[in-house]
């Protein structure tokens, strides 16, 4: 006989007792960060409830129990299910354990700066995560930030954390980086350059302030006529009794560019796709911080500046953008934006006539500066802002010469600046910005070489005048307001050259090859050039010789590209692009994004398929060829899809009325 | 030797333990089974196994080359909070098969 046996089965016998069984166990903190709070209803025969969790298929006693109807436990992350056992015998329903994913480990990188160490990590912080920054073993920051600047150097590492309070889960620490601050740049040289002040009456009998380069002072000054003498300090002035010339730095008869309004938008709403919206209703006075009513003035020169989270300022040229979509099934829909202002390539923009400005989420505040130029009849008009002639008043509290009031804010042109250089500003307190990059809080510029930089004098407030004649310096509120050693930095209006119209034009993208398999062919053409037929000749000598030109461009002539709404129907009146530049580099004025499609069908997946499609991206610039000549320069990229080289591939540029003013 | 794929399972039902045995045997090469017997064994705690329940006749299928039989038993002689172990044993012989 042969014997054959089964394996052995083991049973721990506990007689069933439904009165002891919990059947509604649940986890109220699902998914789990660190703690799970289990709740249930006690059965008709209560007892002590022991928590079990399943690990690798085996049930394990957690060691925790309670006689109430809830318990908070800290389960291991490899627990897959939970169960209660009344009196350690009678099993409840089983529930699945769900855990939040452990935050991904980040890769940390850094940039040493003058003002701190800028930390960045990839991947970026997710919405439900906070970053914890540890420096030399101590946590220095926790928050939902995507980058962080620490004011001193050290050894840094980061990790992500999810959850609230003590119920948190941590990711692993990143790599450690050790960084030190950049050695501070050498202090900005503050030149002392004694110059010639004259406060008195000129030949025409007008009371003037005249400051000029003393190197042009004749050896034997002519006889001095003195008019009213200034109070307090200037009892014995001797100077040149002349009107202004090329070497005059400052003269009360000059038509200065003044900043007539400075507001900041400081409240924002974050939107999708990393965008941020500022409303003009959140405007505050840029100097005092008090709330003010503000709406865009559609006919004044406006400069819009983005202040980034770290305090840097970015200014950019405004330009007109048109987006146009046309197809064989419906007429074109054109969208216009007037007043794009650059902040990287994010497409930040505002539209005069609306109440909002849209930027990317790296922008902390938007600043708006209005100047004493208005647009009238497609030209810029200088608006004098002088007041009542009260004679010459110069004391610590007031500085007026005749009707010229030197309080308020001035636009100070601080020249062209190159990457990593100090802007040649009067001080480091009033707002400094450049067109072509950003300026940090130390006054250092980063961006393309040769950018125009400016400062809004008086933009940081302050009062009380102080003059050091031997150094050629005037201060207001303790901050340098004028320094003869920095030369002629005010912008003053000297004249205009206007009414230079150009015609709209249209051209074809040349024939081109396509690449790719049939049905997926893509063609690509890019080109750039100068429109030799669109030339502007500056007809005013003072404008030709000016160091900075203000410009006012009004679109006046459009090609029909299937727009369903014309410019006139949209706006009713002219709209202008206004700015100023020294033409250190070409100036973008118009951008066109055009898409054309035909023969649309819908694939089973729901995606659209076009028999024919192309896109064109074009930017138009002003370029100054020489003293007298400004031309239009263009770049474009053209992409055709699905072999649609056969579509009409034209695109157009509007004609403009160009008007310039000279600023010196 | 024959091939043995027999299994045993146990389940608590009310105040009893229900045992289910699946006897599955396949005769060796050129062999067939004769009739045999089966018996369930049980031990409580750390004692020695004792037979429990009736002995069952084990009859091979059809031509005798395999055995497939399900045996159930309900054990009500159980005490709360006690560990029990069970196994089932089949006593059976094989004969040689001659092909003509």
């Amino acid at each position: 006989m042969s014997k054959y046996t089964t394996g052995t089965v083991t049973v721990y016998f506990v007689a069933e007792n439904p009165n002891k069984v919990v059947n509604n166990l649940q986890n109220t903190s699902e998914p789990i960060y660190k703690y799970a709070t289990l709740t249930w209803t006690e059965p008709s025969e209560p007892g002590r409830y022991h928590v079990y969790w399943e690990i690798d298929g085996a049930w394990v006693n957690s060691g925790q129990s309670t006689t109430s109807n809830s318990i908070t436990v800290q389960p291991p992350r490899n627990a897959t299910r939970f169960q209660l056992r009344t009196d350690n015998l009678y099993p409840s329903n089983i529930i699945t354990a769900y855990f939040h994913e452990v935050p991904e480990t980040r890769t940390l990188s850094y940039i040493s700066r003058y003002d701190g160490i800028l930390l960045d990590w990839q991947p970026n912080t997710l919405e439900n995560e906070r970053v914890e920054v540890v420096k030399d073993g101590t946590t220095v920051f926790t928050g939902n930030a995507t980058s962080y600047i620490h004011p001193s150097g050290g050894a840094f590492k980061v990790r992500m954390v999810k959850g609230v309070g003590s119920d948190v889960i941590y990711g692993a620490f990143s790599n450690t980086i050790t960084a030190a601050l950049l050695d501070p740049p050498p202090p900005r040289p503050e030149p002392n350059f004694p110059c010639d002040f004259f406060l008195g009456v000129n030949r025409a009998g007008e009371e003037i302030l005249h400051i000029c380069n003393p190197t042009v002072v004749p050896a034997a000054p002519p006889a001095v006529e003195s008019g009213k003498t200034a109070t307090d300090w200037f009892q014995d002035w001797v100077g040149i009794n002349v009107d202004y010339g090329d070497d005059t730095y400052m003269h009360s008869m000059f038509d200065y560019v003044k900043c007539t309004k400075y507001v900041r938008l400081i409240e924002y709403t974050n939107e999708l796709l990393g965008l941020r919206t500022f409303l003009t209703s959140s405007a505050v006075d840029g100097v005092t911080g008090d709330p003010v009513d503000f709406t865009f003035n559609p006919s004044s020169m406006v400069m819009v500046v983005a202040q980034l989270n770290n305090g840097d300022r970015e200014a950019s040229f405004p330009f007109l953008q048109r987006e146009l979509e046309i197809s064989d099934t419906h007429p074109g829909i054109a969208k216009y934006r007037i007043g794009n202002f650059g902040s990287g390539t994010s497409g930040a923009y505002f539209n005069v006539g609306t109440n909002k400005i849209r930027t990317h989420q790296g922008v902390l505040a938007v600043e708006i500066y209005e100047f004493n130029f208005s647009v009238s009849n497609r030209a810029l008009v200088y608006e004098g802002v002088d007041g009542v002639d009260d004679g010459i008043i110069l004391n610590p509290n007031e500085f007026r010469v005749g009707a010229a009031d030197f309080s308020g804010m001035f636009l100070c042109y601080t020249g062209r600046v190159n990457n990593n250089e100090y802007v040649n500003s009067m001080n480091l307190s009033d707002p400094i910005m450049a067109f072509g990059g950003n300026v940090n809080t130390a006054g250092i510029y980063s961006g393309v070489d040769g950018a125009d930089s400016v400062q809004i004098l008086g933009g940081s407030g302050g009062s009380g005048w102080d003059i050091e004649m031997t150094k050629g310096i005037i201060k207001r509120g303790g901050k340098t307001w004028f320094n003869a050693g920095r030369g002629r930095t005010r912008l003053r209006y000297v004249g205009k050259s206007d009414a230079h119209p150009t015609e709209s034009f249209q051209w074809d993208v040349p024939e081109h090859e396509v690449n790719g398999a049939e049905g997926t062919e893509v063609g690509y053409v890019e080109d750039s050039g100068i429109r030799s037929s669109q030339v502007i000749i500056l007809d005013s000598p003072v404008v030709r010789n000016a160091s900075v030109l203000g410009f006012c461009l009004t679109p006046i002539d459009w090609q029909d590209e299937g727009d369903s709404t014309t410019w006139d129907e949209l706006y009713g009146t002219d709209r202008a692009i206004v700015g100023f530049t020294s033409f250190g580099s070409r100036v973008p004025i118009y951008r066109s994004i055009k898409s054309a499609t035909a023969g649309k069908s819908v694939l089973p997946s729901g995606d659209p398929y076009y028999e024919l499609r192309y896109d064109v991206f074009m930017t138009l610039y002003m370029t100054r060829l020489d003293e007298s000549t400004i031309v239009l320069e263009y770049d474009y990229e053209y992409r055709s899809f699905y072999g649609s080289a056969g579509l009409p591939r034209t695109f157009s540029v509007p004609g403009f009325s160009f008007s310039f003013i000279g600023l010196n | 030797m024959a091939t043995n794929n027999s299994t045993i399972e146990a389940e608590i039902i009310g105040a009893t333990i229900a045992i289910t045995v699946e006897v599955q045997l396949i005769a060796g090469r050129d062999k067939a089974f004769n009739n045999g017997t089966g018996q369930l064994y049980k031990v409580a705690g750390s004692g020695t196994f004792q037979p429990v329940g009736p002995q069952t006749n084990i009859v091979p299928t059809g031509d005798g080359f395999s055995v497939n039989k399900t045996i159930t038993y309900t054990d009500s002689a159980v005490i709360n909070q006690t560990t029990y172990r069970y196994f089932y044993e089949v006593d059976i012989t094989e004969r040689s098969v001659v092909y003509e």
Side-chain angles (χ1 to χ4, degrees):
Chain A
M1 295 289 270
S2 298
K3 293 185 186 295
Y4 300 94
T5 60
T6 65
T8 302
V9 63
T10 304
V11 178
Y12 178 70
F13 179 74
V14 174
E16 290 180 347
N17 183 353
N19 295 332
K20 282 275 186 180
V21 170
V22 169
N23 53 26
N24 65 347
L25 173 68
Q26 55 180 334
N27 176 12
T28 59
S29 54
E30 183 178 277
I32 301 164
Y33 289 112
K34 180 177 179 181
Y35 298 109
T37 299
L38 305 176
T39 62
W40 57 91
T41 306
E42 289 196 85
S44 56
E45 287 186 33
R48 171 166 285 275
Y49 311 99
H50 298 252
V51 176
Y52 277 71
W53 42 58
E54 185 184 40
I55 296 176
D56 293 331
W59 286 98
V60 175
N61 190 333
S62 71
Q64 297 174 76
S65 65
T66 180
T67 54
S68 72
N69 62 349
S70 72
I71 187 170
T72 297
V73 294
Q74 184 181 342
R77 286 196 66 85
N78 58 350
T80 47
R81 297 192 292 177
F82 299 117
Q83 184 183 60
L84 285 185
R85 295 185 185 178
T86 310
D87 299 335
N88 223 8
L89 293 174
Y90 303 98
S92 73
N93 58 303
I94 294 173
I95 59 174
T96 306
Y98 295 102
F99 290 85
H100 276 286
E101 281 188 26
V102 175
E104 190 179 336
T105 307
R106 291 341 203 242
T107 303
L108 180 63
S109 62
Y110 73 97
I111 296 176
S112 288
R113 295 161 46 120
Y114 299 121
D115 58 347
I117 307 296
L118 171 63
L119 300 177
D120 197 3
W121 47 88
Q122 291 298 326
N124 244 330
T125 310
L126 299 179
E127 267 196 41
N128 64 343
E129 290 177 334
R130 298 185 298 285
V131 64
E132 180 187 351
V133 179
V134 172
K135 179 197 135 167
D136 300 327
T138 303
T139 299
V140 292
F141 175 79
T142 308
N144 181 257
T146 54
S147 66
Y148 170 73
I149 299 177
H150 191 78
S152 59
F156 294 90
K157 59 185 180 182
V158 300
R159 63 178 174 178
M160 295 297 152
V161 55
K162 293 178 182 175
V164 179
S166 62
D167 187 18
V168 289
I169 177 174
Y170 293 95
F173 273 110
S174 68
N175 52 305
T176 298
I177 61 102
T178 303
L181 266 57
L182 285 184
D183 288 334
R188 235 169 50 126
E190 294 300 332
N192 296 328
F193 202 79
C195 62
D196 200 71
F197 281 69
F198 180 80
L199 204 63
V201 177
N202 72 355
R203 276 185 270 267
E206 296 146 334
E207 289 153 337
I208 62 168
L209 162 71
H210 178 186
I211 302 174
C212 83
N213 184 329
T215 62
V216 299
V217 174
V224 171
E225 294 180 36
S226 64
K228 297 180 183 179
T229 52
T231 59
D232 293 337
W233 305 328
F234 302 99
Q235 307 296 321
D236 301 300
W237 279 26
V238 176
I240 298 176
N241 181 17
V242 294
D243 296 321
Y244 57 82
D246 287 345
D247 294 293
T248 301
Y249 293 155
M250 188 164 178
H251 196 291
S252 53
M253 297 298 178
F254 285 169
D255 291 326
Y256 287 110
V257 181
K258 295 182 182 155
C259 179
T260 53
K261 185 176 291 186
Y262 166 31
V263 300
R264 285 167 55 85
L265 309 186
I266 56 175
E267 292 178 12
Y268 53 80
T269 307
N270 284 334
E271 314 275 5
L272 298 175
L273 306 178
L275 296 178
R276 175 170 285 181
T277 300
F278 292 83
L279 295 180
T280 55
S281 55
S282 72
V284 298
D285 183 291
V287 176
T288 66
D290 297 331
V292 293
D293 288 333
F294 172 77
T295 52
F296 278 109
N297 184 341
S299 56
S300 72
M301 177 189 278
V302 170
M303 179 172 74
V304 183
V305 173
Q307 186 174 40
L308 307 184
N309 290 335
N310 62 1
D312 292 6
R313 284 188 165 89
E314 292 183 347
S316 179
F317 299 109
F319 56 88
L320 173 66
Q321 174 165 301
R322 183 183 76 164
E323 295 169 27
L324 176 64
E325 296 174 19
I326 60 174
S327 81
D328 59 346
T329 57
H330 60 269
I333 305 165
K335 290 186 249 181
Y336 297 97
R337 284 189 198 153
I338 310 161
N340 274 42
F341 68 102
S343 190
T345 55
S346 63
Y349 67 91
F350 69 96
N351 254 335
V352 172
T354 67
N355 65 344
K356 63 177 79 166
I357 296 181
R358 178 151 287 160
T359 72
H360 60 82
Q361 289 183 6
V363 173
L364 175 69
V366 176
E367 299 184 323
I368 300 158
Y369 302 86
E370 284 184 10
F371 303 101
N372 57 332
F373 285 98
S374 63
V375 178
S376 174
N377 292 329
R378 302 173 176 170
L380 283 175
V381 175
Y382 177 79
E383 297 177 326
V385 292
D386 290 336
V388 176
D389 184 346
D390 286 338
I392 298 177
I393 303 173
L394 175 57
N395 60 50
N397 299 314
E398 201 172 355
F399 187 5
R400 301 167 57 86
V401 180
D405 182 0
F406 295 104
S407 61
M409 293 178 285
F410 282 79
L411 178 66
C412 182
Y413 180 70
T414 48
R416 292 183 188 167
V417 64
N418 296 323
N419 190 39
N420 277 340
E421 287 183 351
Y422 277 110
V423 174
N424 190 30
S425 59
M426 283 297 178
N427 60 61
L428 295 177
S429 305
D430 296 325
I432 310 167
M433 55 282 272
F435 297 89
N438 69 5
V439 179
N440 68 12
T441 51
I444 297 172
Y445 166 74
S446 306
V448 295
D449 284 349
D452 289 319
S453 65
V454 298
Q455 182 172 35
I456 303 297
L457 285 182
S460 67
S463 61
W465 295 95
D466 193 8
I467 292 185
E468 297 176 71
M469 287 178 61
T470 56
K471 294 181 182 176
I473 291 178
I474 301 174
K475 291 187 179 179
R476 188 173 81 181
K479 293 168 259 194
T480 301
W481 180 85
F482 176 82
N483 184 336
R486 296 195 180 277
R488 182 173 49 221
T489 55
R490 292 289 188 293
L491 275 182
R492 68 182 182 98
Y493 168 74
V494 294
K496 63 177 185 171
S497 168
D498 58 8
H500 302 284
T502 60
E503 291 179 346
S504 62
F505 56 93
Q506 190 172 41
W507 72 101
D508 288 350
V509 176
E511 298 239 3
H512 52 280
E513 294 181 353
V514 294
N515 300 307
E518 184 179 343
T520 67
E521 306 97 318
V522 175
Y524 180 78
V525 178
E526 59 177 350
D527 195 13
S528 59
I530 292 180
R531 294 286 306 176
S532 54
S533 55
Q534 261 83 20
V535 175
I536 297 151
I537 305 295
L538 299 172
D539 55 6
S540 159
V542 292
V543 172
R544 283 201 295 268
N545 295 327
S547 51
V548 174
L549 298 193
F551 56 85
C552 176
L553 315 177
T554 310
I556 57 173
D557 184 29
W558 296 87
Q559 296 271 351
D560 181 13
E561 283 199 82
D563 296 31
S564 62
T565 310
T566 65
W567 179 270
D568 284 343
E569 288 169 351
L570 270 176
Y571 296 111
T573 61
D574 288 338
R575 284 284 189 276
I577 311 154
V578 175
F580 48 84
T581 176
S582 71
F583 284 102
S585 56
R586 60 187 187 173
V587 179
I589 58 172
Y590 175 75
R591 177 175 292 162
S592 167
I593 302 171
K594 175 181 173 182
S595 297
T597 59
K600 177 181 174 182
S601 59
V602 179
L603 299 173
S605 64
D607 295 328
Y609 174 84
Y610 301 97
E611 288 296 324
L612 299 168
R613 180 185 154 192
Y614 74 82
D615 301 321
V616 181
F617 305 88
M618 190 217 76
T619 306
L620 189 72
Y621 309 84
M622 288 191 293
T623 298
R624 192 169 186 182
L625 286 188
D626 56 44
E627 203 176 70
S628 308
T629 314
I630 294 173
V631 296
L632 296 185
E633 197 176 319
Y634 62 87
D635 293 336
Y636 72 80
E637 288 182 15
Y638 169 93
R639 288 192 176 88
S640 69
F641 299 88
Y642 319 117
S644 54
L647 261 186
R649 46 189 188 278
T650 57
F651 61 97
S652 70
V653 170
F656 292 88
S657 169
F658 288 82
S659 169
F660 298 93
I661 58 174
L663 299 170
N664 244 0
Chain B
M1 281 291 274
T3 301
N4 176 15
N5 293 327
S6 304
T7 60
I8 183 169
E9 289 181 1
E11 184 183 356
I12 297 174
I13 298 179
T16 66
I17 295 177
I19 306 293
T20 304
V21 177
E22 298 284 345
V23 177
Q24 291 186 355
L25 300 172
I26 301 173
R29 184 181 171 141
D30 297 333
K31 301 276 191 204
F33 287 112
N34 300 318
N35 288 351
T37 57
Q39 176 67 58
L40 181 66
Y41 288 84
K42 163 189 173 181
V43 66
S46 58
T48 54
F49 281 94
Q50 298 296 326
V52 62
Q55 199 177 68
T56 307
N57 288 330
I58 303 294
V59 176
T61 59
D63 48 19
F65 291 128
S66 62
V67 172
N68 288 300
K69 191 173 177 72
T70 301
I71 298 110
T72 60
Y73 178 74
T74 299
D75 187 357
S76 55
V78 287
I79 299 170
N80 227 354
Q81 299 183 48
T82 304
T83 299
Y84 296 94
R85 287 177 294 153
Y86 302 84
F87 72 89
Y88 194 85
E89 185 178 75
V90 173
D91 221 340
I92 196 167
T93 55
E94 292 169 283
R95 63 180 186 280
S96 294
V97 175
V98 176
Y99 296 98
E100 293 176 356

